[in-house]
Amino acid sequence: IVLVGAGAAGVAIAKLLYKYSGASIIAVDSKGIIEPTRDNLNDEKKLLLSFANDVQPGSLEDAVKNADIFIGVSQPELLSQDMVRSMADKAVIFALANPVQEIMPNLALEAGAAVVATGRSDFPNQVNNALAFPGIFRGALDNQVVAITDEHKIKAAEAIAAFIQNPTASEIIPSVFAENLVSKIAELIV
């Protein structure tokens, strides 16, 4: 997994992904791949090092070669079609910068991506925290949960992923308006 954006969102995403899957996550910021020889790493960026295996210095272009998944929470138009072409077959792109994402969905699909998600409601597969939080909070209130844990967030993500019975490339996650989504998540928050 290549994660572009080493701010609060990127760190939170990496932490949960690693906790859930143990997958190697290569983080990239505006100066390139976050790797141990860099001398300008704050505590959050040092934490990101613990989620990667054997990272080497390089650029975003280097990081995405043969990557299965790209997650962007960074800046518009950072990911080129050539970079997508260099990724593994059937790559998954989460280009979440708003209002202009790291790559437009049509360009990513033309370059060979199998699935593309964005943070925008005018494209398929909108990733939005409104998918999870109403259900998490409803469950916390209903079950008198006093602290939201990583396990609660992971359960919410699993419920969202399971909500679409027959996923397609243009529908891997439900709409924020999906009926019963809040209750499906809420019942897991105990």
Side-chain angles (χ1 to χ4, degrees):
I1 298 172
V2 173
L3 173 71
V4 179
V11 171
I13 290 166
K15 182 178 142 188
L16 282 175
L17 273 174
Y18 190 78
K19 187 172 199 162
Y20 180 74
S21 71
S24 181
I25 302 167
I26 298 173
V28 180
D29 66 7
S30 61
K31 294 176 178 50
I33 294 173
I34 295 174
E35 45 80 21
T37 66
R38 287 197 23 198
D39 59 5
N40 57 351
L41 301 179
N42 60 26
D43 289 341
E44 289 78 20
K45 291 181 183 184
K46 288 176 185 173
L47 174 65
L48 289 170
L49 287 173
S50 64
F51 305 136
N53 298 326
D54 189 35
V55 286
Q56 302 297 317
S59 64
L60 172 59
E61 187 174 0
D62 298 319
V64 297
K65 286 180 183 160
N66 299 312
D68 296 301
I69 300 169
F70 170 92
I71 301 171
V73 285
S74 56
Q75 296 180 26
E77 302 174 348
L78 290 179
L79 189 66
S80 71
Q81 285 187 300
D82 285 340
M83 289 181 201
V84 174
R85 286 184 194 102
S86 77
M87 294 177 71
D89 287 340
K90 300 180 182 178
V92 175
I93 309 287
F94 285 81
L96 305 176
N98 257 322
V100 180
Q101 51 276 48
E102 290 80 2
I103 188 169
M104 293 298 287
N106 63 316
L107 297 177
L109 292 167
E110 286 172 13
V115 174
V116 179
T118 74
R120 289 176 43 173
S121 61
D122 57 334
F123 291 112
N125 297 321
Q126 181 193 19
V127 176
N128 188 313
N129 60 10
L131 284 164
F133 288 114
I136 291 173
F137 291 141
R138 177 78 273 154
L141 290 169
D142 291 348
N143 298 304
Q144 300 177 356
V145 172
V146 296
I148 304 300
T149 66
D150 287 345
E151 287 72 24
H152 291 128
K153 296 171 198 172
I154 289 169
K155 286 180 180 180
E158 289 174 332
I160 292 166
F163 196 83
I164 301 297
Q165 297 295 312
N166 297 303
T168 65
S170 62
E171 188 182 34
I172 59 167
I173 54 178
S175 159
V176 295
F177 303 111
E179 196 172 319
N180 300 322
L181 180 60
V182 170
S183 60
K184 292 279 187 196
I185 295 170
E187 66 190 28
L188 300 174
I189 308 303
V190 292

